[in-house]
Amino acid sequence: MAQPQTYPLVDVIIPFYKNVQLVRPLFESLHAVAAELNECSCCVVAVNDSPDDADLRGALRDAVERLAQLAPCRLIENESNLGFVRSANAAVSASATSRHDVILLNSDTVVFPGALSEIRRVAYLDPMTGFVSPRSNNATICSLPHQPEFRHLGPEAAYANFRELSKYLPEYHYVPTAVGFCLYIKLEILEEFGLFSEIYGRGYNEENDLIMRANRGGYRAVLANHAFVYHVGEVSFSASSST
């Protein structure tokens, strides 16, 4: 009789910079999937990279305190603005030290039910899958539908489109690279290939660099076609002053 698949613990790392209006919708979506966070052994790690923003600091402290009553959740408050890549690396490094897998999640996202568990499941269908992204409304190659007129629908309308189309797709597709708006990274990738290169200070292309390095070692990136995470796009760190 086949043994059930066992999975490592997972840290869902969410860097924030300004844009306090993003806190509520994302954390409301995490509240809605709190049972899934527990079932998947996930800990939400919010990172405040805007220490001088009192509104963001208060909103994150309150949101983390409330979510922590339902699922593991903690807050990292940077002493100064590090920029997206350095903020992500600091949190990812701590996760790797604890021997956890990572889901890097942008702050301008809304997580829909089943997405986290499906991303993790797809990651372990193949030992050489190193990276997984879900489908989305506005995330380059992850977008479903692909046409630009569908990118800026509201979360529920975008999810309805996904539900209609995804039933015709297989569990996953191999792709040249996954997308950093929501990116599952296995621990073995971090141990063998390290963190994101900090030459990409404000973000963009840091995930491509890591994936290409791992690809030379035989690891692949895939899209989980039956998982959906809504993405506003170009908001989460667009105002960052760090390079």
Side-chain angles (χ1 to χ4, degrees):
M1 184 176 182
Q3 295 295 315
Q5 174 70 60
T6 58
Y7 300 100
L9 301 179
V10 181
D11 289 339
V12 182
I13 297 171
I14 315 170
F16 285 85
Y17 179 79
K18 296 188 176 180
N19 295 304
V20 66
Q21 75 280 2
L22 300 176
V23 174
R24 181 175 178 179
L26 174 51
F27 272 85
E28 284 182 348
S29 75
L30 293 172
H31 271 261
V33 299
E36 185 178 346
L37 288 168
N38 288 314
E39 290 167 4
C40 293
S41 301
C42 289
C43 176
V44 174
V45 182
V47 182
N48 182 2
D49 193 40
S50 189
D52 297 329
D53 188 329
D55 290 339
L56 179 64
R57 181 171 62 250
L60 281 176
R61 287 178 178 179
D62 180 63
V64 167
E65 181 180 359
R66 288 187 291 110
L67 182 59
Q69 298 174 27
L70 302 175
C73 185
R74 60 188 178 90
L75 175 63
I76 298 171
E77 295 181 308
N78 293 343
E79 294 183 2
S80 61
N81 170 235
L82 300 180
F84 179 84
V85 176
R86 291 174 64 197
S87 286
N89 273 349
V92 169
S93 178
S95 297
T97 298
S98 299
R99 301 194 57 75
H100 296 175
D101 284 357
V102 164
I103 297 175
L104 189 61
L105 185 65
N106 277 14
S107 58
D108 59 338
T109 55
V110 172
V111 178
F112 276 81
L116 300 178
S117 57
E118 180 65 7
I119 293 167
R120 183 189 65 171
R121 188 187 71 83
V122 167
Y124 283 89
L125 291 176
D126 184 335
M128 296 309 293
T129 293
F131 308 87
V132 185
S133 285
R135 288 293 186 166
S136 187
N137 59 300
N138 184 22
T140 61
I141 61 172
C142 300
S143 300
L144 190 71
H146 297 294
Q147 294 90 337
E149 60 265 31
F150 294 103
R151 291 176 186 166
H152 301 297
L153 296 176
E156 295 300 331
Y159 184 57
N161 283 338
F162 161 78
R163 290 282 301 273
E164 179 61 28
L165 295 173
S166 62
K167 60 188 177 184
Y168 299 106
L169 298 179
E171 292 178 299
Y172 62 90
H173 280 122
Y174 290 111
V175 285
T177 186
V179 183
F181 84 104
C182 181
L183 180 62
Y184 195 107
I185 309 173
K186 287 181 175 175
L187 171 64
E188 61 201 84
I189 296 294
L190 302 172
E191 291 181 328
E192 186 171 349
F193 301 98
L195 304 174
F196 297 116
S197 172
E198 294 186 358
I199 66 171
Y200 303 99
R202 296 189 181 187
Y204 300 110
N205 290 315
E206 76 282 350
E207 76 272 32
N208 296 331
D209 174 80
L210 178 58
I211 292 168
M212 293 302 103
R213 282 187 273 138
N215 183 253
R216 289 194 289 270
Y219 289 96
R220 301 173 177 180
V222 307
L223 299 186
N225 288 324
H226 299 158
F228 184 82
V229 172
Y230 183 83
H231 184 219
V232 176
E234 299 181 355
V235 174
S236 56
F237 259 66
S238 59
S240 177
S241 61
S242 180
T243 57

